[in-house]
Amino acid sequence: MTTERMDPPRTAGERETLRVYLDFHRATLAMKCDGLSDEDLRRRSMPPSTLSLLGLVRHMAEVERTWFRRVINGEDVPLVWSDEGDYQVAYDASGATRSEAFGAWQTEIEHSRRIEEEAKSLDVTGYQPRWGEDVSLRMVMLHLIHEYARHNGHADFLREGIDGTVGA
């Protein structure tokens, strides 16, 4: 996973802007994990939370998988870490490794990019069963930008607690 972040465009069209902002946030999460050992990546925020940097990576793999593959593409694929559909299971990375988590995340990002690129427009829709209605690719991309932004804020605090690294 690259930690090189593209500077978001100032005047690009809607689709390109959404695409670059989403990749910016993906790279930000990768950057927050850069240079850390598996043990550091598994370090939890505070009891009783199971939240860790590796848990965030695993969670975002589930988020990518759900919104792009299951919702927009209509694929009948289970979650990566939970047979019961429990997204919180991904946060517990106590036995996880960088290789396993980042491998799954990168795989899901590749699927997401392919699905987005193949879509004829941002108006393509998929069914979101939890809400019981269709959602557009536009909404999915905005939702993922929002989801990454929230979790990158968590990642800032987690990384600072591990080695004092702050910023960007």
Side-chain angles (χ1 to χ4, degrees):
M1 183 77 208
T2 182
T3 58
E4 183 179 325
R5 296 186 300 181
M6 298 270 303
D7 194 26
R10 308 296 189 265
T11 59
E14 179 184 21
R15 193 166 188 165
E16 180 64 17
T17 300
L18 291 172
R19 187 180 287 150
V20 174
Y21 265 99
L22 184 51
D23 279 341
F24 176 89
H25 282 292
R26 288 168 173 152
T28 298
L29 181 56
M31 184 184 74
K32 292 296 174 183
C33 299
D34 200 34
L36 296 175
S37 68
D38 283 9
E39 182 180 340
D40 288 335
L41 290 168
R42 287 189 297 265
R43 189 177 301 175
R44 293 179 175 185
S45 59
M46 69 174 85
S49 176
T50 60
L51 188 64
S52 66
L53 286 168
L54 210 51
L56 288 175
V57 170
R58 288 165 43 110
H59 175 72
M60 291 312 299
E62 298 287 33
V63 168
E64 296 264 2
R65 182 180 187 91
T66 295
W67 285 99
F68 282 96
R69 292 180 67 187
R70 295 172 75 176
V71 172
I72 293 298
N73 223 32
E75 295 179 36
D76 185 19
V77 292
L79 294 179
V80 179
W81 288 283
S82 172
D83 294 332
E84 295 80 40
D86 181 359
Y87 290 83
Q88 303 306 312
V89 170
Y91 284 131
D92 185 0
S94 54
T97 65
R98 171 192 293 275
S99 175
E100 168 253 353
F102 275 81
W105 184 40
Q106 185 61 45
T107 295
E108 295 308 324
I109 288 171
E110 289 168 9
H111 281 293
S112 297
R113 285 182 177 138
R114 178 187 48 78
I115 291 164
E116 183 272 322
E117 288 169 4
E118 290 175 358
K120 295 190 184 333
S121 82
L122 292 172
D123 295 324
V124 165
T125 61
Y127 184 72
Q128 211 308 347
R130 191 175 72 196
W131 297 346
E133 61 186 303
D134 286 343
V135 297
S136 69
L137 175 59
R138 175 185 294 101
M139 194 242 87
V140 167
M141 292 178 78
L142 285 167
H143 179 75
L144 262 76
I145 291 166
H146 163 80
E147 184 96 3
Y148 272 105
R150 284 181 43 231
H151 290 313
N152 284 338
H154 300 136
D156 284 336
F157 287 120
L158 287 162
R159 180 65 188 249
E160 184 177 8
I162 292 167
D163 66 3
T165 299
V166 296

